[in-house]
Amino acid sequence: MLKPSKHNGTAILLFANSPQEELNNKSIPNGNVLFSGLTKHTLSVVRQTEIPYFHLTEAEQEGNNFGERFVNAIHHIFNKGFDRVITVGNDTPQLRPADILKADRELDRNNCILGPSKDGGFYLLGLHKRHFNAPRFLALPWQTSSLLRSITALFQGLNIRVVKQRVLLDLDNMVDLNSIMASCTIWSYKLRKLLLSFLTTVQATLSLAVVFFNRYFQHYYFNKGSPINTTCLS
């Protein structure tokens, strides 16, 4: 396994909200258990690299929108005396320590590193302090499908070499979760157990909802003029 760069200067920024806040932004039913588990998994991945890291939730983030909060978080790391930062989120369960350590090695070569996500954004950004320009970053189309293309063009316009890593899926909804589970066979035991348990729970909940709806619909639709007898739903 790769080891962190000898001359250090790199810090990892885990930019991930609390499970409660994630529920406000992502359409995954009962996702608080899932988001909590994903954050724990990502922290485990980050710690395995032995690179200093900072986890900033909404409690520590500053700004009126995602772009402002993300840019301010990067600025926060540089203000702590680090010359390089590698940013990751908690919504890419396929992320491995090797992905972060490869990014650290590319920073040694003065490159910018991007881990593309399939939705047009990125799950990882490796950046030097001297390449960081807050106003230009703030102008990027955050949380859109053109983000990766725009940030790549920004760096290339500054004659900074961009190295892209493997493409991964961000987990934003149930479709993404099913796709991630279907596309990857190599998981840690704890993560696989978490994802399977969550899928089973959600599928069971949805099945109960379908049964309830069918019974309610049959009773109500075919007895429109009668009051609903709740005992038939129990």
Side-chain angles (χ1 to χ4, degrees):
M1 179 174 164
L2 290 172
K3 290 295 182 183
S5 177
K6 293 283 186 183
H7 54 269
N8 283 323
T10 301
I12 298 170
L13 165 62
L14 173 54
F15 189 80
N17 291 328
S18 66
Q20 293 75 22
E21 183 65 19
E22 292 280 22
L23 282 175
N24 295 328
N25 302 313
K26 297 191 177 182
S27 55
I28 297 181
N30 302 318
N32 54 322
V33 174
L34 176 65
F35 297 131
S36 177
L38 286 174
T39 297
K40 290 178 182 177
H41 167 72
T42 307
L43 283 169
S44 173
V45 169
V46 166
R47 288 173 183 138
Q48 289 177 60
T49 68
E50 300 180 14
I51 297 174
Y53 71 90
F54 300 88
H55 178 197
L56 271 64
T57 70
E58 70 277 7
E60 297 83 26
Q61 297 166 14
E62 298 179 357
N64 297 317
N65 54 54
F66 179 89
E68 289 183 5
R69 293 191 293 271
F70 186 70
V71 170
N72 287 334
I74 293 175
H75 193 66
H76 174 77
I77 301 301
F78 288 142
N79 279 346
K80 286 187 170 292
F82 293 94
D83 296 318
R84 310 163 352 160
V85 64
I86 299 172
T87 73
V88 295
N90 68 341
D91 56 355
T92 311
Q94 295 164 299
L95 181 72
R96 301 172 189 162
D99 297 314
I100 299 174
L101 290 170
K102 285 179 182 177
D104 189 42
R105 291 300 183 195
E106 289 298 337
L107 285 172
D108 286 347
R109 302 180 177 96
N110 297 315
N111 298 322
C112 168
I113 302 89
L114 289 169
S117 54
K118 288 190 176 181
D119 61 5
F122 57 81
Y123 63 87
L124 181 149
L125 167 66
L127 180 70
H128 284 267
K129 183 177 181 178
R130 63 180 174 277
H131 296 156
F132 177 64
N133 183 294
R136 286 176 174 154
F137 266 60
L138 287 170
L140 290 168
W142 296 101
Q143 295 183 300
T144 71
S145 59
S146 61
L147 176 59
L148 180 70
R149 184 168 61 252
S150 297
I151 195 170
T152 300
L154 170 63
F155 286 124
Q156 290 176 340
L158 297 172
N159 294 317
I160 301 168
R161 183 169 178 261
V162 177
V163 175
K164 292 183 179 178
Q165 302 199 154
R166 62 192 184 118
V167 179
L168 297 179
L169 260 173
D170 280 346
L171 204 168
D172 294 320
N173 50 52
M174 287 301 299
V175 174
D176 293 339
L177 180 56
N178 280 293
S179 297
I180 288 170
M181 289 295 292
S183 65
C184 187
T185 57
I186 302 175
W187 298 100
S188 72
Y189 172 77
K190 287 184 178 179
L191 180 60
R192 186 170 186 83
K193 184 179 178 181
L194 167 70
L195 296 180
L196 286 174
S197 174
F198 179 76
L199 277 174
T200 301
T201 301
V202 170
Q203 288 166 355
T205 301
L206 291 175
S207 296
L208 286 173
V210 169
V211 170
F212 178 87
F213 175 79
N214 286 338
R215 293 177 67 180
Y216 174 84
F217 179 80
Q218 289 172 1
H219 176 80
Y220 181 70
Y221 183 81
F222 293 109
N223 297 277
K224 289 182 181 178
S226 305
I228 297 175
N229 179 1
T230 56
T231 57
C232 76
L233 303 180
S234 60

